Amino acid sequence: IYKVVDQVSGYSTYSMLAAPLILSGEVIGAIEAVHTNPYIFHPEELQVLQAAAQWAAIAIRNAQQHDNLMRRLRETQTISEINQAIASTLEITRVLQFIVEAAHPLLPGAQRAVIHLLDEEKQGLSPVAMTGLVDIDSETFRMRPGEGVAGKVISEGVTINITDTTRDERFLPLASKSDIRSLLVVPVQSGQNRLGTISVQSAKANSFSAEDERLLSTLGVQAALAIENARLYQASEDWAKE
């Protein structure tokens, strides 16, 4: 018996039944029944608790399926809205800002989101859209390819998910008092052409999952589409003037 629970609850447990909550062959928790009298439970009552555990596991599975369905619906709706924005405007900064703002409902753990684009002349990454951050023109958020996590992502074209920045030497805090604990960065690229990065941050460790990686990658694709669309239009305009 875990006596700390008794201390908190004020109980003095003498009898206990416990059964595992099993979901798809995996133990995800336990259900317990306790009593302050000894020898109070009978074998058939353990069967009742096991049945309750099965129903609880089913309820948890149904709730998870519902949450996954709602998340997929939000994703579909958000991507549709981004596509409409891309089709209706050539103001690239406006579309990219819309994309970083879309990161919040899709990735609940995200407290900040930033899109950096590669400036080939200056050979640096500059922030062009962000949410949850201030001072967009600050040099604090500029970096070179290969420098910091975003710099590695643009150089190597890979996704980097840092679950705890205090334990990962790849993270280089750009401010003296960084509150970032979780960082997820994916490339913004069209084919093999790397245009920049999109990243989300959190002050809590272990904020981003593999599913979050997939969702942010989807937003990265949408950002690349918006950039290429605007550049193609500008190129056609320049050609028409010639």
Coordinates of all heavy atoms in Angstrom, one line a residue, residues 96-97 99-101 103-104 110-117 125-134 136 141-143 150 180 183-186 188 196-201 216 220 223:
L96 N 2.2 34.3 -44.9 CA 3.0 33.6 -43.9 C 2.6 33.9 -42.5 O 2.7 33.1 -41.6 CB 4.5 34.1 -44.2 CG 5.1 33.7 -45.5 CD1 6.5 34.1 -45.6 CD2 5.0 32.2 -45.8
Q97 N 2.2 35.1 -42.2 CA 1.7 35.5 -40.9 C 0.4 34.6 -40.6 O 0.3 34.1 -39.5 CB 1.3 36.9 -40.8 CG 0.9 37.4 -39.4 CD 2.0 37.2 -38.4 OE1 3.2 37.3 -38.7 NE2 1.6 36.9 -37.1
I99 N -0.1 31.7 -41.7 CA 0.3 30.3 -41.4 C 0.9 30.1 -40.0 O 0.6 29.1 -39.4 CB 1.4 29.9 -42.5 CG1 0.8 29.8 -43.9 CG2 2.1 28.6 -42.1 CD1 1.7 29.6 -45.0
V100 N 1.7 31.1 -39.5 CA 2.2 30.9 -38.2 C 1.1 31.0 -37.1 O 1.1 30.3 -36.1 CB 3.3 31.9 -37.9 CG1 4.6 31.7 -38.7 CG2 2.9 33.4 -38.0
E101 N 0.1 31.8 -37.4 CA -1.0 31.9 -36.5 C -1.8 30.6 -36.5 O -2.5 30.3 -35.5 CB -1.9 33.1 -36.8 CG -1.2 34.5 -36.5 CD -2.0 35.7 -37.0 OE1 -3.1 35.5 -37.7 OE2 -1.5 36.8 -36.8
A103 N -0.6 27.8 -36.5 CA 0.1 26.8 -35.8 C -0.5 26.5 -34.4 O -0.4 25.4 -33.8 CB 1.6 27.1 -35.6
H104 N -1.1 27.6 -33.8 CA -1.6 27.5 -32.4 C -2.8 26.5 -32.3 O -2.7 25.6 -31.5 CB -2.0 28.8 -31.9 CG -0.8 29.6 -31.5 ND1 0.0 29.4 -30.4 CD2 -0.1 30.6 -32.2 CE1 1.0 30.3 -30.3 NE2 0.9 31.0 -31.4
A110 N 2.2 24.7 -28.8 CA 3.0 25.8 -29.3 C 2.7 27.1 -28.6 O 1.5 27.5 -28.6 CB 2.8 25.9 -30.8
Q111 N 3.6 27.8 -28.0 CA 3.4 29.1 -27.5 C 3.9 30.2 -28.4 O 3.5 31.4 -28.3 CB 4.1 29.2 -26.1 CG 3.5 28.3 -25.1 CD 4.3 28.3 -23.8 OE1 5.6 28.3 -23.8 NE2 3.6 28.1 -22.7
R112 N 4.9 29.9 -29.3 CA 5.4 30.8 -30.2 C 5.6 30.1 -31.6 O 5.9 28.9 -31.6 CB 6.8 31.4 -29.8 CG 6.7 32.1 -28.4 CD 8.1 32.4 -27.9 NE 8.0 33.0 -26.6 CZ 9.1 33.2 -25.8 NH1 10.2 32.7 -26.1 NH2 9.0 33.8 -24.7
A113 N 5.5 30.8 -32.6 CA 5.8 30.3 -34.0 C 6.5 31.3 -34.8 O 6.2 32.5 -34.7 CB 4.5 29.8 -34.6
V114 N 7.5 30.9 -35.6 CA 8.3 31.8 -36.4 C 8.6 31.2 -37.7 O 8.9 30.0 -37.8 CB 9.6 32.2 -35.7 CG1 10.4 33.3 -36.5 CG2 9.5 32.6 -34.3
I115 N 8.5 32.0 -38.8 CA 9.0 31.6 -40.1 C 10.2 32.4 -40.4 O 10.2 33.7 -40.4 CB 8.0 31.8 -41.2 CG1 6.8 30.7 -41.0 CG2 8.6 31.6 -42.6 CD1 5.7 30.9 -42.1
H116 N 11.4 31.8 -40.7 CA 12.6 32.4 -41.1 C 12.7 32.2 -42.6 O 12.5 31.0 -43.1 CB 13.8 31.9 -40.4 CG 14.0 32.4 -39.0 ND1 13.4 31.8 -37.9 CD2 14.7 33.4 -38.5 CE1 13.7 32.4 -36.8 NE2 14.5 33.4 -37.1
L117 N 13.1 33.1 -43.4 CA 13.4 32.9 -44.8 C 14.9 33.2 -45.1 O 15.5 34.1 -44.4 CB 12.6 33.8 -45.7 CG 11.1 33.5 -45.7 CD1 10.4 34.4 -46.8 CD2 10.8 32.0 -46.0
L125 N 19.4 33.9 -42.2 CA 18.0 33.6 -42.0 C 17.4 34.8 -41.2 O 17.8 35.2 -40.2 CB 17.8 32.3 -41.2 CG 18.0 31.0 -41.9 CD1 18.1 29.9 -41.0 CD2 16.9 30.7 -42.9
S126 N 16.3 35.3 -41.8 CA 15.6 36.5 -41.2 C 14.2 36.1 -40.9 O 13.5 35.5 -41.7 CB 15.7 37.7 -42.1 OG 17.0 38.1 -42.4
P127 N 13.7 36.6 -39.7 CA 12.3 36.3 -39.4 C 11.3 37.2 -40.2 O 11.6 38.4 -40.3 CB 12.2 36.7 -37.9 CG 13.2 37.7 -37.7 CD 14.3 37.3 -38.6
V128 N 10.3 36.6 -40.8 CA 9.4 37.4 -41.7 C 8.0 37.3 -41.1 O 7.1 38.1 -41.5 CB 9.4 36.9 -43.1 CG1 10.8 37.2 -43.7 CG2 9.1 35.4 -43.2
A129 N 7.7 36.3 -40.3 CA 6.4 36.2 -39.7 C 6.5 35.5 -38.3 O 7.3 34.5 -38.2 CB 5.4 35.4 -40.6
M130 N 5.8 35.9 -37.3 CA 5.9 35.3 -36.0 C 4.7 35.6 -35.2 O 4.0 36.6 -35.4 CB 7.2 35.8 -35.3 CG 7.3 37.3 -35.1 SD 8.8 37.7 -34.1 CE 10.1 37.2 -35.3
T131 N 4.4 34.8 -34.2 CA 3.4 35.0 -33.3 C 3.9 34.6 -31.9 O 4.6 33.6 -31.8 CB 2.1 34.2 -33.7 OG1 1.1 34.4 -32.7 CG2 2.4 32.7 -33.7
G132 N 3.5 35.3 -30.9 CA 4.0 35.0 -29.6 C 5.3 35.7 -29.3 O 5.9 35.6 -28.2
L133 N 5.9 36.4 -30.3 CA 7.1 37.1 -30.1 C 7.0 38.6 -30.4 O 6.0 38.9 -31.1 CB 8.2 36.5 -31.0 CG 8.7 35.1 -30.7 CD1 9.5 34.6 -31.8 CD2 9.4 35.0 -29.4
V134 N 7.9 39.4 -30.0 CA 7.8 40.8 -30.3 C 9.1 41.2 -31.0 O 10.1 40.5 -31.1 CB 7.6 41.7 -29.0 CG1 6.3 41.3 -28.4 CG2 8.8 41.4 -28.0
I136 N 10.0 42.2 -34.3 CA 10.3 41.4 -35.4 C 11.6 41.8 -36.1 O 12.2 41.0 -36.8 CB 9.1 41.4 -36.4 CG1 9.3 40.3 -37.5 CG2 9.0 42.7 -37.1 CD1 8.0 40.0 -38.3
F141 N 16.8 37.5 -33.6 CA 16.2 36.3 -34.2 C 16.8 36.1 -35.6 O 16.2 35.4 -36.4 CB 14.7 36.5 -34.3 CG 14.1 36.7 -32.9 CD1 13.6 38.0 -32.6 CD2 14.1 35.7 -32.0 CE1 13.1 38.2 -31.3 CE2 13.5 35.9 -30.8 CZ 13.0 37.1 -30.4
R142 N 18.0 36.7 -35.9 CA 18.6 36.4 -37.2 C 19.8 35.4 -37.0 O 20.4 35.4 -35.9 CB 19.1 37.7 -37.8 CG 18.0 38.7 -38.0 CD 18.6 40.0 -38.6 NE 17.6 41.1 -38.6 CZ 16.7 41.2 -39.6 NH1 16.8 40.4 -40.6 NH2 15.8 42.2 -39.6
M143 N 20.0 34.6 -37.9 CA 21.1 33.6 -37.8 C 21.6 33.2 -39.2 O 20.9 33.4 -40.2 CB 20.6 32.4 -37.0 CG 19.5 31.6 -37.7 SD 18.6 30.5 -36.5 CE 17.7 31.7 -35.6
A150 N 17.7 26.3 -36.3 CA 17.1 26.7 -37.5 C 18.2 26.7 -38.6 O 18.0 26.3 -39.8 CB 16.5 28.0 -37.4
I180 N 12.9 29.1 -23.6 CA 12.5 28.0 -24.5 C 13.0 26.7 -23.9 O 14.2 26.5 -23.7 CB 13.1 28.2 -25.9 CG1 12.7 29.5 -26.5 CG2 12.8 27.0 -26.8 CD1 13.3 29.9 -27.9
L183 N 11.6 22.8 -28.7 CA 11.7 23.5 -30.0 C 11.6 22.5 -31.1 O 12.2 21.5 -31.1 CB 13.1 24.2 -30.0 CG 13.5 24.9 -31.3 CD1 12.6 26.1 -31.6 CD2 14.9 25.4 -31.3
L184 N 10.7 22.8 -32.0 CA 10.5 22.0 -33.2 C 10.6 22.9 -34.4 O 10.0 23.9 -34.6 CB 9.0 21.4 -33.2 CG 8.6 20.7 -34.4 CD1 9.5 19.5 -34.7 CD2 7.1 20.2 -34.2
V185 N 11.6 22.5 -35.3 CA 11.9 23.2 -36.5 C 11.8 22.3 -37.7 O 12.4 21.2 -37.7 CB 13.3 23.9 -36.4 CG1 13.5 24.8 -37.6 CG2 13.5 24.6 -35.1
V186 N 11.1 22.8 -38.8 CA 11.1 22.0 -40.0 C 11.5 22.9 -41.2 O 11.3 24.1 -41.1 CB 9.7 21.4 -40.3 CG1 9.2 20.5 -39.1 CG2 8.7 22.5 -40.5
V188 N 11.3 24.9 -44.7 CA 10.3 25.4 -45.7 C 11.0 25.2 -47.1 O 12.0 25.9 -47.3 CB 9.9 26.8 -45.5 CG1 9.1 27.4 -46.6 CG2 9.2 27.0 -44.2
G196 N 13.6 28.4 -46.3 CA 13.7 28.9 -44.9 C 13.2 27.8 -44.0 O 13.3 26.6 -44.3
T197 N 12.7 28.2 -42.8 CA 12.3 27.3 -41.8 C 11.0 27.8 -41.1 O 10.7 29.0 -41.1 CB 13.4 27.1 -40.7 OG1 13.5 28.3 -40.0 CG2 14.7 26.6 -41.3
I198 N 10.3 26.9 -40.6 CA 9.1 27.3 -39.7 C 9.3 26.5 -38.4 O 9.7 25.3 -38.4 CB 7.8 26.9 -40.3 CG1 6.6 27.3 -39.4 CG2 7.7 25.5 -40.7 CD1 5.3 27.3 -40.0
S199 N 9.2 27.2 -37.3 CA 9.5 26.6 -36.0 C 8.4 27.0 -35.0 O 7.8 28.0 -35.1 CB 10.8 27.1 -35.5 OG 10.9 28.5 -35.3
V200 N 8.2 26.1 -34.0 CA 7.4 26.4 -32.8 C 8.2 26.2 -31.6 O 9.1 25.3 -31.5 CB 6.1 25.5 -32.8 CG1 5.1 26.0 -33.9 CG2 6.4 24.0 -33.0
Q201 N 7.8 26.9 -30.5 CA 8.6 26.9 -29.3 C 7.6 26.8 -28.1 O 6.4 27.2 -28.2 CB 9.4 28.1 -29.1 CG 10.3 28.5 -30.3 CD 10.8 29.9 -30.3 OE1 10.6 30.6 -29.4 NE2 11.5 30.3 -31.4
L216 N 3.5 20.4 -38.6 CA 4.3 21.5 -38.9 C 4.9 21.4 -40.2 O 5.1 22.4 -40.9 CB 5.4 21.7 -37.8 CG 6.1 23.1 -37.8 CD1 5.1 24.2 -37.6 CD2 7.2 23.1 -36.8
G220 N 4.8 23.9 -43.4 CA 6.0 24.3 -44.1 C 5.8 24.1 -45.6 O 6.3 25.0 -46.4
A223 N 3.7 27.1 -46.7 CA 4.5 28.3 -46.8 C 5.4 28.3 -48.0 O 5.5 29.4 -48.7 CB 5.4 28.4 -45.5

